[in-house]
Amino acid sequence: MNTRTIKILTSLILLTTTTIAFTVQAKGNTRLNINREENNTIVKPQWLTIESTNYYDGDSDDLATAGLGFTPLSTTKINLKQANPTQPTTQELRQLKLNRFIDTKTGEGTLFGYQRKTLTPLFDGKVAGTEVLATLKNKEETVGLLLQIPLDFDKNKPCIVAVPATDSDGLFNAHDVQIRGLWGLRHNCAVVYNDKGLGNGIYDITNQRGFAIDGKTQTDNLLFKPDINNRERYVKAYPNRYAIKQLHSRQNSEQRWGEFVLQSIEFAFYQINTLYSPDKTIKYNKDNTLVLVYGASDGGGAALKAGELDKNNIIKGIVAVNPQIVPYSKKIAASVQFGKNTPVKIQYQSIAEYSAYASLYIPCAVPAIIENNKDKYIPFADKYVFSQNRCNDLKQAKLLKEGTPEEALEKLHKYGWTPEMDIQLPYFYFKETVSLPYQYISAYGHYDITERMCNYSVASTQQNPIYYTGKVAPLKEVAFEQLWGLSDGHLPVWIGNDSTALALVNNEDVISPRRDFYSSSESKENIDYNSKGAMCLYKKINDPRVQYGMGQIIASANLNGIKTYIVHGRNNVKQLPDYTSRAYVALNSQVEGKNSQLRYIEVENTSYLDGKPPFENILLPIDYYGEDAMEWLWANLTNKATLPESQVVHTKPRASNNDITLDATIKNLVPISQSPNRNNVIKKENGKLTIPN
């Protein structure tokens, strides 16, 4: 029996036991305020702790921009200053998280997100309302919850939009609040967010401090506080090191993502009933309140897993954008066919597997990417001056035969990255490096901080971009207190494009610990992007404890008949379509059959990136299509409009005029068609997905 077969059998066993456990937990945890009790009394969930409740007037502070306003955010990059960087106020912390430059050239503000045409000097996109910060606490972990109730919440036609956090981020993710959450606020819905048990759980091991749910730096009552034996000895051997909740909590929170979404909805029901029920009985429940779930990336995966757990018809609609999801079935084979090509069987793969593969081969493949795209600008490709060293290491390890960039690129193409994706790969590796597979492998393997898997650790790194080499150094350019606002849940934590505050580092670099991209694993004369570490991670996929963790997180693709849209970028190099959305839709077509209400929208010229520089000429923002799908669901559920069929949306990249990229228009961001041309219709049946070219 080969390793792959063992893996599949292990995953099947774990899927069965996990699904049973989740079903029981979900039923028990969603009974309050959603299904009517016999006495119809509002009861606070035992696991819920209300941390704070604040009302924002929509002027000095607000739900969507923390008082900054759309015009400043879309005009220039705001350089926020804290009165005391080591003791930022609550509003300053919220502003740090919600301060992002909104590039209106992408179409945000005109075609999706803020509606610039409706703004005035007296209304600059600031939304008044009540914000409730809470935690879900149990013996295992703490989950952050955030509820926003707009001042004009529709009490007669109540609705709730649940938004699980994007990627590994926590609460106040700017894209979640200002795109997905804003959609709900604009439709007079309460919006509830959850951090999926990850949050900004950064812990400073040396100074024994971390972050509370509101971003304040504390020593206790934290999002994450690891238990480290012989901490003093560890700090002496590994100074300037940090623990991260997803990597080091040993909890593998991903197995409970769907449960957390359902509990966040229960929290929302409890709060709106508490606020708006005059006689303290349950006024709002699943039968009279429209509940939608809207998530992207990891949040998209959480949205789908919530649908799989919802046996009580609480959720009426789901939109999952570029979902990071791992569908699996032992008995059902999934296949995809492009046009009239021969159908190809889809191998069920986790993000840990395919991102580890990418981290192994991309550094070697970059020269071939440059050669194949001589007439195109390839962001960050010029940084890869040591590619052949990685190729040589792969050849020596018998992971390549010839040891050439062309051979490495061919391997990537066979694995699922298409030639159309090549231009993104140097940027993708540089920005994500080996941190992306590491965070999932570490979580799946339930690794402890002191195990230093594959000789990696998380450290504060050289922050000054001048002569930056990614070496371990104390925090200097930013204070620890500011990391909460800078971090998006992923490593590295960037300061601009050229330096990092926190990063995954190679402890065994031959000169001194440093980031992979600047690291030598064998000889100090030869930077090889830490070939040894990348190969170690790739091998870790077959470690029984990692296999066990992957078995805990796989998805059934049974959405219980919930009306659902999956929207995926065809050129997404991070959540590869074959292993995520395509596999999920194909499996769902067999699992649910004719009862399925799942529709799949695949969009050309989109990825996990949002169409901003350096890809403004080739990529468009996928968030436009997430919002478009939400509008179709809303129209169907409130006005019985006919939902569009599954389809490929053919888009057109933004053109340039005198080296200036023109604004996106409806000719670029082509809307989802209610009645698509039959040549664009995606067909799904009996585990087979047929996608037009």
Side-chain angles (χ1 to χ4, degrees), residues 471-523:
K471 65 182 181 180
V472 175
L475 285 174
K476 182 179 180 182
E477 302 294 322
V478 297
F480 176 81
E481 291 79 1
Q482 294 172 292
L483 292 178
W484 188 83
L486 292 171
S487 173
D488 62 1
H490 273 310
L491 292 171
V493 176
W494 288 92
I495 307 175
N497 276 329
D498 298 311
S499 63
T500 58
L502 290 188
L504 195 69
V505 299
N506 173 17
N507 293 322
E508 292 197 340
D509 180 89
V510 296
I511 300 176
S512 69
R514 67 188 65 235
R515 278 186 60 210
D516 267 11
F517 200 83
Y518 304 89
S519 179
S520 304
S521 58
E522 296 294 345
S523 168

Side-chain angles (χ1 to χ4, degrees), residues 446-460:
H446 301 80
Y447 281 94
D448 182 79
I449 178 76
T450 58
E451 291 183 85
R452 301 181 301 280
M453 180 181 65
C454 291
N455 292 308
Y456 284 106
S457 61
V458 179
S460 51

Side-chain angles (χ1 to χ4, degrees), residues 484-641:
W484 188 83
L486 292 171
S487 173
D488 62 1
H490 273 310
L491 292 171
V493 176
W494 288 92
I495 307 175
N497 276 329
D498 298 311
S499 63
T500 58
L502 290 188
L504 195 69
V505 299
N506 173 17
N507 293 322
E508 292 197 340
D509 180 89
V510 296
I511 300 176
S512 69
R514 67 188 65 235
R515 278 186 60 210
D516 267 11
F517 200 83
Y518 304 89
S519 179
S520 304
S521 58
E522 296 294 345
S523 168
K524 64 182 180 180
E525 284 80 24
N526 293 316
I527 291 176
D528 57 13
Y529 314 108
N530 189 15
S531 298
K532 189 188 242 181
M535 287 187 274
C536 174
L537 271 184
Y538 184 60
K539 292 177 183 177
K540 280 289 179 184
I541 295 296
N542 292 317
D543 188 311
R545 61 194 289 187
V546 177
Q547 293 285 307
Y548 176 84
M550 286 196 289
Q552 290 178 308
I553 56 89
I554 52 183
S556 68
N558 184 349
L559 288 166
N560 299 301
I562 299 172
K563 294 178 179 178
T564 301
Y565 272 102
I566 290 180
V567 177
H568 211 100
R570 176 169 282 190
N571 295 339
N572 187 341
V573 302
K574 188 174 182 178
Q575 290 90 23
L576 277 180
D578 277 351
Y579 305 127
T580 54
S581 292
R582 291 173 184 166
Y584 193 94
V585 175
L587 181 57
N588 172 268
S589 71
Q590 184 76 294
V591 172
E592 287 198 273
K594 293 182 179 180
N595 294 323
S596 174
Q597 294 289 319
L598 172 61
R599 290 162 172 82
Y600 177 47
I601 308 296
E602 186 165 298
V603 187
E604 284 188 328
N605 303 308
T606 55
S607 181
Y608 76 102
L609 300 164
D610 56 10
K612 294 179 182 178
F615 295 105
E616 67 271 31
N617 295 121
I618 62 172
L619 295 177
L620 296 164
I622 191 68
D623 282 320
Y624 168 80
Y625 292 95
E627 188 164 301
D628 199 15
M630 284 293 287
E631 290 291 352
W632 278 114
L633 271 183
W634 181 265
N636 172 265
L637 293 167
T638 59
N639 293 312
K640 298 182 179 180

